Amino acid sequence: MKGTKVQFISKNFIRMILLLIAVSIVTFTLVSISPIDPLSANVGQAALGSMSQEQKEKLEEYWGVNESPVQRYLNWAGDFVRGDMGVSLLYRQPVTKVIAVKLSNSLFLMAIAWAISGVLGFMLGVLSGAFRGTWLDKLIQGYSLLIASTPVFWLALLLLLIFAVWMKLLPIGLSVPIGVEASGVTFFDRVQHAILPAITLSITGVSNITLHTREKMIDVMESDYMLFAQARGESRWSMIRRHGLRNIILPALTLQFASISEIIGGSVLVEQVFSYPGLGQAAVAAGTGSDVPLLLGITLVTAAMVFLGNFIANILYGVVDPRMRKGGTVS
Amino acid sequence: MSCQEKHHILEISNLSVSFRQYDRGTNQINLPVITNLNVSVHDGEIVAVVGSSGSGKSLLAHAILGILPYNASLAGEIYFNQELLTEERKKQVRGKEIALVPQSVNYLDPLMKVGLQVRNGDKSPGVMERMKALFRKYHLEQETENLYPFECSGGMSRRILLSTALMGNPRLIIADEPTPGMELSLAKKAMEDFRQFADEGNGVLLITHDIELALEVADRIVVFYAGTTVEEALVSDFESLEKLRHPYTKALWRAMPRNGFETIPGSQPYVKELPEGCVFGPRCPLFSEECEGEIPERVVRCGTVRCIKCEEDHSHHHHGREEAHTHAGS
Ligand SMILES: Nc1ncnc2c1ncn2[C@@H]1O[C@H](COP(=O)(O)OP(=O)(O)O)[C@@H](O)[C@H]1O
Ligand SMILES: [Mg+2]
């Protein structure tokens, strides 16, 4: 029993390493074949023209233009395993430091959105599925389908217009007030600036979780054990409470952790619209600016987050599901 | 029994169940799976409903309990204790006065411990004791209480399902194929318990496709074919072929090992391809043109039959259905 658990964890760990290697190679290749010339993109065509050859060579060395891509990748990978993710070309700071700052901004945002969309989506999905065909179900489903088919950036702009421009209730962008020193930024400021992006992310996240939970709940409601519960005189609420939640919680857990990737994906767009200085925005900047070390760093960190999310879901599954906990087979 | 004036616990008359289905897109069709079915259970009686798989036995059980799927519609009357069983009333009696022993072990919640399910969440000492007694009786270890359904063998799960029905104080037990997978001795024990339960003045509707089992324990046999009752007979009628009424029942009799294992060709028609008139017509040795007309249910020798070829019996007894109406009115 213990052995299988250790096996499970080490197997997943190896899989994560392989995944990260693959992701880094793919990202690296994509950036290498990208037509953007890092020099003219970051220094500027005009400035480049007025530079001396010496200066140019120095710059080229800094951006690593003349080395072969394989050599560059190996250099980077060698540093990476020693814990050095390199220096961001754009921010001129160690990548680890840039990521730490951006990630803390984003995590704040994503955690709020993840929690709200998870809890709300679960509740709405359970209700909708349990009362399938009623007006409540139609309302919830209609809302979810509407939101699911709305582009995230459009929703973000709409919220921005309503709450920041018209009603002037919330700030337009950034994660802290403009022109205030870092030490003067209060927790309240941070919350206030994160509200709109978080709401946008939550709204889109909710609809997805709701629709998936609803499907699962319908399966549960149509199961034979629900029929038997009904035959034994249990009320609808009792059935939902005693058997519904028990059986929906496992698929819901998986859903919740799988949605991490969607939250990360959504945050890229949302951060862009709200000019929220998080990981998503940094990723866009790194991509368009050919900041290879930063882009690789961000890609790997997010890939690891997604992987860890699924990994945690698997472990929780084993803890919660008696069929797995007791070593049985799931039918 | 039709010739006896006993109290009815359950009286089903002219029951029909059909499913709304969509045929090729938007064309809604009504698929009848049970038509004009009559069954009754009297005080102290075990009535066996015998029919091959797909004949509508489980649906009958679900119709009585009001747990048919949402796309099913129901016609006809069901009386329980001489009282019309409306959908509202079904909600009140199910699990209390009417208990179901479901057909398969999938009816147990896979994520809930067995004990909790048998007691239906009740933790009071009395209920606890009762469960322990039932577990002892059916050779279930006391630890079974803390197992999940996936940890129980098929036979164990059967006994667990049986225990759920015997936990309360029902007037009627509907047992939907309760014994497959059970050890013979334990299956017999279960049947003895049904007998005892019935002898206390209660009723059992035993649904099975095992006619041998039915003959051993039941008082009356109701034969199902393609969603309707073709014959209602006393167990003693199965002593000889001559006492039986319907050609299908006779075919069942001949197919029994002790009577020669003789089977008839063909199979039960699928609900979508029911023949005109008699549902057994295509397989019947006595088939003639008149069989394509309407086939009424008639009382013959204290039983009923749905066959125009069965010789008339000038019995003055009338069928239980009329009794039900007088009971319902009183
Ligand atoms: N939800 C449903 N929709 C349509 N047809 C159904 C449905 N449930 C059962 N049936 C049909 O009703 C018939 C009788 O089913 P059932 O009562 O389970 O048979 P039995 O218990 O005698 O084996 C079968 O032919 C089956 O296909
Ligand atoms: Mg059945």
Side-chain angles (χ1 to χ4, degrees):
Chain A
M1 182 104 278
K2 261 247 165 72
T4 59
K5 239 169 222 167
V6 172
Q7 227 174 26
F8 174 76
I9 291 177
S10 50
K11 213 161 91 188
N12 268 280
F13 188 72
I14 292 169
R15 263 168 59 187
M16 179 162 97
I17 303 289
L18 289 177
L19 177 87
L20 292 184
I21 292 175
V23 166
S24 67
I25 291 178
V26 169
T27 315
F28 199 87
T29 313
L30 285 176
V31 184
S32 303
I33 60 175
S34 135
I36 299 173
D37 172 24
L39 244 60
S40 45
N42 291 293
V43 185
Q45 203 71 52
L48 210 59
S50 64
M51 272 181 198
S52 71
Q53 195 58 36
E54 235 169 87
Q55 277 175 308
K56 266 196 206 167
E57 267 166 25
K58 239 179 160 174
L59 270 176
E60 278 177 352
E61 200 192 311
Y62 178 68
W63 291 96
V65 175
N66 296 326
E67 274 176 284
S68 83
V70 177
Q71 192 54 49
R72 269 185 289 157
Y73 178 75
L74 288 178
N75 288 346
W76 172 86
D79 288 344
F80 184 84
V81 292
R82 267 179 265 121
D84 177 10
M85 291 167 96
V87 176
S88 160
L89 306 177
L90 287 176
Y91 293 89
R92 289 164 207 268
Q93 277 179 343
V95 167
T96 36
K97 214 166 149 193
V98 178
I99 290 182
V101 173
K102 303 286 175 187
L103 188 62
S104 74
N105 283 343
S106 281
L107 270 186
F108 190 62
L109 188 74
M110 293 193 286
I112 294 175
W114 192 58
I116 292 181
S117 63
V119 173
L120 213 58
F122 178 76
M123 292 195 310
L124 290 177
V126 166
L127 279 178
S128 188
F131 295 93
R132 174 153 80 130
T134 61
W135 61 267
L136 182 70
D137 173 37
K138 285 183 182 130
L139 196 75
I140 293 174
Q141 215 191 343
Y143 165 81
S144 304
L145 287 172
L146 184 74
I147 296 298
S149 52
T150 307
V152 181
F153 72 90
W154 191 83
L155 185 71
L157 285 174
L158 192 72
L159 289 176
L160 199 62
L161 266 180
I162 296 174
F163 290 101
V165 180
W166 292 344
M167 295 169 71
K168 299 201 178 8
L169 279 177
L170 295 163
I172 288 185
L174 308 173
S175 71
V176 293
I178 301 167
V180 175
E181 257 188 68
S183 55
V185 177
T186 62
F187 181 72
F188 176 74
D189 285 331
R190 292 181 54 123
V191 172
Q192 211 188 15
H193 281 257
I195 287 179
L196 270 187
I199 288 181
T200 312
L201 265 184
S202 309
I203 288 179
T204 50
V206 162
S207 72
N208 198 10
I209 299 237
T210 303
L211 289 173
H212 280 102
T213 309
R214 179 180 180 272
E215 290 302 309
K216 301 283 179 201
M217 192 64 192
I218 286 176
D219 288 347
V220 168
M221 292 304 284
E222 284 181 347
S223 67
D224 287 339
Y225 54 84
M226 276 300 201
L227 196 67
F228 188 42
Q230 202 185 352
R232 297 184 80 190
E234 283 189 48
S235 69
R236 178 84 70 110
W237 278 114
S238 156
M239 283 162 63
I240 296 171
R241 199 170 43 78
R242 291 187 71 221
H243 309 286
L245 294 183
R246 191 184 294 266
N247 281 278
I248 194 85
I249 201 78
L250 289 168
L253 263 180
T254 319
L255 255 179
Q256 181 68 11
F257 281 94
S259 77
I260 289 180
S261 61
E262 274 162 47
I263 295 267
I264 292 177
S267 75
V268 174
L269 286 169
V270 169
E271 287 180 6
Q272 208 60 25
V273 173
F274 290 100
S275 5
Y276 188 89
L279 210 56
Q281 207 197 27
V284 174
T288 51
S290 282
D291 189 342
V292 182
L294 182 58
L295 189 63
L296 278 171
I298 292 175
T299 317
L300 289 185
V301 165
T302 46
M305 277 165 68
V306 170
F307 189 89
L308 280 177
N310 289 325
F311 180 62
I312 292 171
N314 279 334
I315 293 205
L316 282 180
Y317 224 103
V319 173
V320 179
D321 190 338
R323 288 166 297 194
M324 296 185 65
R325 189 173 63 230
K326 296 199 180 182
T329 48
V330 179
S331 52
Chain B
M1 309 168 203
S2 292
C3 293
Q4 277 184 22
E5 293 293 331
K6 259 193 174 178
H7 246 232
H8 290 94
I9 291 179
L10 184 73
E11 175 76 19
I12 299 174
S13 72
N14 270 319
L15 183 83
S16 295
V17 176
S18 56
F19 286 103
R20 285 184 305 282
Q21 282 197 335
Y22 288 93
D23 191 27
R24 290 204 198 90
T26 54
N27 202 9
Q28 188 179 320
I29 54 162
N30 241 17
L31 193 65
V33 283
I34 294 182
T35 32
N36 296 327
L37 179 144
N38 301 311
V39 176
S40 56
V41 180
H42 302 93
D43 283 355
E45 225 184 11
I46 299 181
V47 174
V49 170
V50 179
S52 53
S53 117
S55 56
K57 304 185 298 292
S58 294
L59 286 178
L60 167 67
H62 295 180
I64 298 168
L65 290 160
I67 54 169
L68 287 171
Y70 71 100
N71 65 331
S73 49
L74 189 125
E77 282 108 52
I78 303 174
Y79 296 92
F80 176 64
N81 276 340
Q82 278 89 53
E83 190 186 342
L84 185 66
L85 206 49
T86 58
E87 291 304 311
E88 212 33 60
R89 185 85 187 111
K90 283 175 191 173
K91 280 186 193 160
Q92 295 165 353
V93 298
R94 66 188 176 210
K96 297 177 190 74
E97 289 168 71
I98 305 181
L100 173 73
V101 181
Q103 184 180 357
S104 106
V105 294
N106 292 340
Y107 286 76
L108 288 174
D109 185 335
L111 297 181
M112 192 187 267
K113 285 183 182 171
V114 163
L116 203 57
Q117 299 198 58
V118 171
R119 289 180 271 115
N120 214 355
D122 197 332
K123 285 198 182 81
S124 61
V127 172
M128 214 67 176
E129 258 329 295
R130 186 152 191 157
M131 179 183 77
K132 284 187 175 152
L134 280 170
F135 278 11
R136 268 195 300 275
K137 187 146 124 189
Y138 289 115
H139 301 240
L140 289 166
E141 312 258 330
Q142 289 305 322
E143 291 83 71
T144 308
E145 185 189 348
N146 290 317
L147 296 181
Y148 287 92
F150 78 91
E151 296 172 286
C152 302
S153 70
M156 275 168 85
S157 304
R158 287 284 172 198
R159 286 174 269 158
I160 291 163
L161 289 174
L162 201 62
S163 307
T164 63
L166 298 170
M167 279 299 288
N169 285 309
R171 273 284 276 146
L172 175 72
I173 292 181
I174 302 174
D176 192 355
E177 316 216 15
T179 53
M182 242 167 151
E183 222 177 278
L184 189 64
S185 64
L186 287 165
K188 286 215 163 111
K189 178 127 202 71
M191 291 303 127
E192 279 167 27
D193 284 341
F194 281 158
R195 184 72 268 168
Q196 193 193 337
F197 174 77
D199 289 345
E200 286 161 11
N202 303 306
V204 177
L205 190 68
L206 176 66
I207 293 172
T208 177
H209 59 247
D210 185 348
I211 195 160
E212 305 264 359
L213 176 90
L215 288 176
E216 239 170 77
V217 62
D219 300 297
R220 264 180 325 121
I221 309 281
V222 171
V223 182
F224 250 47
Y225 188 78
T228 194
T229 36
V230 293
E231 175 166 352
E232 209 182 304
L234 299 175
V235 164
S236 57
D237 293 341
F238 279 81
E239 283 160 8
S240 74
L241 197 61
E242 290 69 42
K243 287 189 183 171
L244 295 174
R245 301 161 188 82
H246 197 279
Y248 177 62
T249 319
K250 291 182 183 176
L252 282 181
W253 187 89
R254 288 199 193 91
M256 282 163 60
R258 67 173 106 131
N259 300 329
F261 246 138
E262 215 182 296
T263 54
I264 55 163
S267 60
Q268 177 177 261
Y270 181 55
V271 282
K272 273 187 182 163
E273 291 130 22
L274 285 188
E276 281 288 305
C278 178
V279 284
F280 189 62
R283 297 170 76 188
C284 186
L286 307 175
F287 180 76
S288 67
E289 228 168 79
E290 307 92 80
C291 296
E292 289 180 341
E294 199 175 319
I295 314 287
E297 189 175 71
R298 295 180 302 131
V299 177
V300 177
R301 294 190 299 276
C302 289
T304 68
V305 65
R306 213 183 271 280
C307 175
I308 51 169
K309 296 289 166 83
C310 182
E311 74 279 14
E312 198 57 70
D313 175 282
H314 298 286
S315 153
H316 62 276
H317 298 293
H318 55 91
H319 179 243
R321 240 189 306 165
E322 280 90 16
E323 294 168 38
H325 288 298
T326 45
H327 284 309
S330 61

